[in-house]
Amino acid sequence: QVDLEESGGGTVETGGSLRLSCVVSWSLYRRASCMAWFRQAPEKEREGVASIVYGGAVTDYSDSVKGRFTISKDDDNKTLSLQMSSLIPEDTGMYYCAAGPSVAGRCALDSEGFGHWGQGTQVTVSS
């Protein structure tokens, strides 16, 4: 069973937009209080991009994407999304959705806090 499956990646020009989606299995969606998007560029460490707490009331973003990316979740369709706008070449990388427990009602953008990961979807922003 695939618990997390991403889609929506592709190649866009600088300034363009993309919307990533992650379908979450019903069993994981029920118990995961924290969901997030991470990304990893070649030869760089995995970086937390955005997170959302169960219920959707609390979100968090890395400084590098704040104001450009929006994370959201659709409880009816068990889907996590990432709307990305004003893309720049530095946004290029493999994007992963992840799920795990929240701590004190928040989701830290730390990969060690997430035990479930998707396979990733590639985003390439050309200059």
Side-chain angles (χ1 to χ4, degrees), residues 19-20 22 29 35 37 50-52 56 59 61 69-75 79-83:
R19 185 177 181 86
L20 306 183
C22 176
Y29 200 93
M35 296 186 192
W37 288 95
S51 68
I52 187 166
T59 58
Y61 297 89
F69 290 11
T70 302
I71 189 171
S72 62
K73 56 199 296 286
D74 181 342
D75 293 336
T79 301
L80 178 72
S81 297
L82 185 69
Q83 178 66 46

Side-chain angles (χ1 to χ4, degrees), residues 28-35 52-58 73 75 100 102 105 107:
L28 180 58
Y29 200 93
R30 286 185 66 211
R31 65 181 190 268
S33 55
C34 184
M35 296 186 192
I52 187 166
V53 174
Y54 185 85
V58 179
K73 56 199 296 286
D75 293 336
S102 61
C107 302

Side-chain angles (χ1 to χ4, degrees), residues 23 31 33 56 68 90 93 95 100 119 124:
V23 177
R31 65 181 190 268
S33 55
R68 300 187 296 122
E90 289 77 12
Y95 282 68
Q119 292 299 306
T124 302

